[in-house]
Amino acid sequence: MARSTAQLFLLICPRLSTQQITNRLYKSGLSKHAVGWFSNYLSGRSQSVQVAASSSAFLPVPKGVPQGSIFRPLLFLYINNLCENVSNASLYFYPDDTVIYCLLSSLAQTLQFLQSAFDVVQLNSSKFKLMLNADKLKLYCFPIAKN
């Protein structure tokens, strides 16, 4: 029997305030001292944009974990919950990306289950204040030949 696999790659964009992140860290068992250290690191950040010799004013950055930060893996505390209630699909988590993977007997069935899993992930993303970046969404389908 020929089988089909489909993989949907998602880029997750956190929209979490420092307070939401630190609350989750505290609930996960970190001490008040450790949570305070993370809070201090994430609080009071600002950024500006520079093009050639012109720069914008600095504006506060009240949400998220800085891109490329060693603390980016903290988001795993949030994205691990994305797979709640997902069936007939596997989810693989990376610091900024999530892959939904299905392997079934037909492409139509594979895509149906992949869509169902994506719907659940999208609902959970909204619930946990995470945004999926639609511009970075990629779907790959591969037929698997009979032996």
Side-chain angles (χ1 to χ4, degrees):
M1 174 192 308
R3 296 169 60 112
S4 292
T5 181
Q7 300 174 8
L8 185 62
F9 291 81
L10 313 169
L11 179 64
I12 297 175
C13 303
R15 299 280 173 140
L16 304 167
S17 69
T18 298
Q19 186 65 43
Q20 289 168 312
I21 293 170
T22 56
N23 284 344
R24 186 65 174 250
L25 291 171
Y26 187 70
K27 287 178 184 176
S28 72
L30 287 179
S31 69
K32 285 184 180 182
H33 179 73
V35 172
W37 188 79
F38 282 109
S39 178
N40 186 48
Y41 173 76
L42 295 171
S43 298
R45 294 178 293 128
S46 61
Q47 69 182 18
S48 76
V49 176
Q50 182 176 352
V51 177
S54 299
S55 296
S56 68
F58 278 88
L59 296 173
V61 180
K63 295 184 178 191
V65 176
Q67 185 76 29
S69 163
I70 62 170
F71 299 116
R72 198 91 174 143
L74 286 175
L75 295 177
F76 279 116
L77 293 172
Y78 282 91
I79 66 174
N80 280 338
N81 296 327
L82 291 181
C83 61
E84 289 178 357
N85 304 315
V86 171
S87 58
N88 298 316
S90 298
L91 276 79
Y92 299 95
F93 300 109
Y94 304 96
D96 291 332
D97 303 312
T98 298
V99 179
I100 305 174
Y101 173 86
C102 291
L103 175 63
L104 296 161
S105 59
S106 73
L107 181 58
Q109 187 181 33
T110 301
L111 292 175
Q112 178 185 359
F113 281 95
L114 189 69
Q115 180 65 55
S116 178
F118 176 69
D119 292 344
V120 171
V121 167
Q122 197 169 25
L123 181 68
N124 288 341
S125 295
S126 177
K127 182 168 106 177
F128 295 114
K129 298 185 180 2
L130 298 169
M131 184 182 83
L132 302 177
N133 186 339
D135 294 335
K136 301 287 183 172
L137 195 70
K138 300 287 184 206
L139 172 65
Y140 297 97
C141 297
F142 305 99
I144 299 175
K146 295 180 188 179
N147 285 338

